[in-house]
Amino acid sequence: MSSDDKDPRLAMLVESIVRLSRGELSSRIEPSSARDEVDAVITGVNLLAEELEQVYEQFEKRVESRTAMLRQAHLDMMKMAMSDALTGLANRVALMDAIEEALNQAARGTQPPALLLLDLDSFKNVNDRFGHDAGDRVLQEVASRLNSVVRESDVVARLGGDEFAILLPGATMDTAMHVARRALEVLGEHIRLDSLYVHARASIGVRLGTADQTAEELLLDADTAMYAAKREGRSIIKLFEPVMLYSRQLRSQMATELRGAISSDELVLHYQPVVELATNRILGVEVLVRWQHPLRGLIPPDTFIPLAEEIGVIHDLDRWVMSTSLRQLAQWRQDFPLDDDFQLRVNLSAVELKQLDLVDSIRALLRELDLPARNLVVEITETAIVTRGEVEMYSLLSLQQLGVGIEIDDFGTGYSSISYLRELPVSMVKVDRSLLVELNTRPGQLDFVAAILQLIRAAGLEAVFEGIETREQAAQLREMGCASGQGYYFSRPLPAEEAGALLATTRHLRVGEGIGEGVDGPERAASR
C-alpha cells in the first residue's frame, strides 16, 4: 500500500497510544463503521485506557485515604505530645509554647499574661491511704474543676504529679486573683470516691508577666510564689514578689549545705526525757536531731527535715541518727546505773522503713554495742505505714521479733484509727501535743482526751502523751490513768552532755527548777 493509501486511523491510533503513555488516560478513538482489524485494535486500546483510568482513580482514592490517615495520625501524635495522658489537659511542652505565644503578643503591645501554679495539699496522703487508682481519679476531677473556672482562651495544664498551671493570656491582676480564688473555691469542695470523700485543696502562686520576660522566667517566678504559699499554710494564694527569689536561693543553698552536714559533723542530737507520771522517774529519752549550722546557728528539725526528704538525704540522716544515738546509749550504760527498762526512742522516716537492710542494720548495731533490743524504741508516723506495704510490714514484724519496741508517733494528727493500729505490730502510741493545747480551755476536751486514752488502753497499747507543759496537765493525765509522758514541764530537749549529767545525778526529775516548767524557746514546737 502506498503512503497515499495509508489508513488515517493508524495515525490516530499511534497518537492515542502516545497520549496514554503521557498519562492522558481520558483519551479515546471513535471506531469507524468498517469494523475491521484496525477497529478491533482501536477498541482494545480504548478498553485499556478505560481500565487504566479506573485503576488510577482507585489508586488516587487510596493515596488520599492513606494521606488522610497519616495526617490524622500526625495530629493525634502531636496532641499526645502536647497533652497529659491522664487528664487530657495541656502538658508542660504545650504550656511553654502557649506562654511564649502570649509573651510574643505582649511584646507587640497586648496585655501580658498571668500564670497560676497550683500544688495540691496533702495529695500524697490520698495515694497512701486509698491507692494510686483513687489518686488518678482525684487528679482527673481536679482537672475538670479547673477547666470550669477559666475562659476558652485560657490554658489549663498538668505539669506532672499533683502540680497544675493556668495561663491567662492578656490578664489583669483582678482577673488573675479572681481565677485563683475560684480555683480554691471549687477545689475546696469534697470529691467523692465511691463511698469515700476526700479533699484536694491547693496552694497557688500567681505571677503577672511582663513583656520582657522569657517563658522560663515566668514559670520560675510563679513556681517561687507557689512554694511560698505552701510554706505559709494550706489553701493559700501568694502573689510573686522579687524578695521570694532570695528565699528560694537561700533554700537551694541550704539544700546544698545539708548534703554535706552529716559528713562534716554539723548535726547534733538532743534528748528529751520521757517520765513515769506517777513518780517522775525517767523511763527513757526521745532523740531529737538539730543542725548546728556554722553561720546560722542551731536550726530546728521542722526547718530541715522536710528539706532532707525533698532532696533525698533522709535515708542518710536516719542512719546517722540511729547509729549516733545508740552509741550514746551504750556510753551512758557504761557510765551510769540506768534502769533495765530505760529506752531510747528514735524516729524513723517512711523512706527508712522501706529499706530492705533496715533490720539488719539495727541488729548489727545492737550486737556491736552489746545493747539489748528492748532498750530501743522506733517511732513511726501513721502515714508511714497506712498502706501496709510488704516491705514496711516486713520491717515492723522483724523489728518486733528482734525485741525492738515500736511506737506510733503523732497520734491524733493522721487517720487515728484504733482498730487499724491493733492490726499492726506496735505496742505504744504517742498522743500528739495538739490534744493538750486546749485541755483546760475548750469545753469537753478533757473528756475527749480521757476517751482517747481509754480506747488506746482497751486496744492493749500503752499511751505516751507529749507536750505536757504545766503541773495541771501532768496531774490531769495522771488522774486519767496515763502512765508516761514528756514535755517542757519535765525538761526541754537537752544536748548529750546535759542529758548525761541529768542521768548521772538523778533518775527522778524534780520539775520547776530550771529544766522543766517555764522554759521557753524555739525548740518547744520542734519535734523529730
Side-chain angles (χ1 to χ4, degrees), residues 18 30 51 70 99 107 113 175 205 266-267 276 291 293-294 356 389 424 426 504 519:
V18 171
E30 187 69 30
E51 289 180 5
L70 288 172
I99 293 175
T175 301
E266 292 180 12
L267 297 180
E276 187 176 51
W291 182 5
H293 194 280
L356 291 173
L424 299 172
V426 301
V519 177

Side-chain angles (χ1 to χ4, degrees), residues 66-80:
R66 295 291 176 86
T67 301
M69 291 173 62
L70 288 172
R71 186 180 297 110
Q72 185 60 48
H74 177 71
L75 292 175
D76 291 343
M77 290 179 63
M78 288 292 292
K79 183 178 180 180
M80 290 174 60

Side-chain angles (χ1 to χ4, degrees), residues 219-413:
L219 184 63
L220 175 63
D221 289 352
D223 187 64
T224 300
M226 182 194 71
Y227 273 100
K230 287 187 71 68
R231 287 194 296 271
E232 189 164 314
R234 298 183 178 183
S235 297
I236 296 292
I237 301 171
K238 293 293 288 186
L239 185 64
F240 172 79
E241 298 175 6
V243 70
M244 293 177 180
L245 286 176
Y246 173 75
S247 299
R248 187 184 184 108
Q249 291 168 355
L250 190 64
R251 182 175 176 82
S252 177
Q253 180 182 350
M254 184 177 289
T256 301
E257 295 170 343
L258 180 58
R259 288 188 172 93
I262 298 176
S263 59
S264 58
D265 295 326
E266 292 180 12
L267 297 180
V268 295
L269 296 181
H270 287 193
Y271 302 86
Q272 185 172 40
V274 177
V275 303
E276 187 176 51
L277 295 183
T279 64
N280 287 351
R281 180 171 70 95
I282 300 177
L283 300 175
V285 293
E286 180 184 4
V287 181
L288 303 167
V289 63
R290 306 287 189 261
W291 182 5
Q292 186 64 57
H293 194 280
L295 299 177
R296 302 187 184 97
L298 199 65
I299 301 176
D302 55 349
T303 299
F304 69 88
I305 292 296
L307 182 61
E309 294 174 343
E310 180 181 325
I311 65 177
V313 299
I314 190 67
H315 167 65
D316 295 333
L317 177 60
D318 277 344
R319 290 293 167 99
W320 181 87
V321 171
M322 180 64 71
S323 174
T324 304
S325 61
L326 283 176
R327 294 181 191 282
Q328 182 63 72
L329 175 61
Q331 186 64 49
W332 283 340
R333 282 170 56 86
Q334 290 181 14
D335 297 342
F336 316 128
L338 299 180
D339 294 336
D340 290 339
D341 61 351
F342 185 92
Q343 291 179 318
L344 184 80
R345 299 165 184 255
V346 184
N347 289 270
L348 283 185
S349 68
V351 172
E352 184 67 359
L353 200 60
K354 294 179 181 179
Q355 303 302 312
L356 291 173
D357 66 336
L358 169 64
V359 179
D360 290 337
S361 173
I362 292 177
R363 183 188 290 113
L365 276 171
L366 293 174
R367 186 181 297 119
E368 174 193 347
L369 300 171
D370 193 26
L371 289 173
R374 67 175 181 274
N375 292 133
L376 174 64
V377 175
V378 295
E379 297 187 358
I380 53 179
T381 61
E382 293 174 72
T383 54
I385 53 171
V386 71
T387 56
R388 277 187 281 187
E390 292 183 5
V391 177
E392 292 93 321
M393 293 305 296
Y394 164 78
S395 296
L396 292 177
L397 290 169
S398 298
L399 288 172
Q400 183 188 52
Q401 292 173 1
L402 185 61
V404 173
I406 301 172
E407 179 178 77
I408 297 296
D409 197 10
D410 298 333
F411 184 80
T413 60

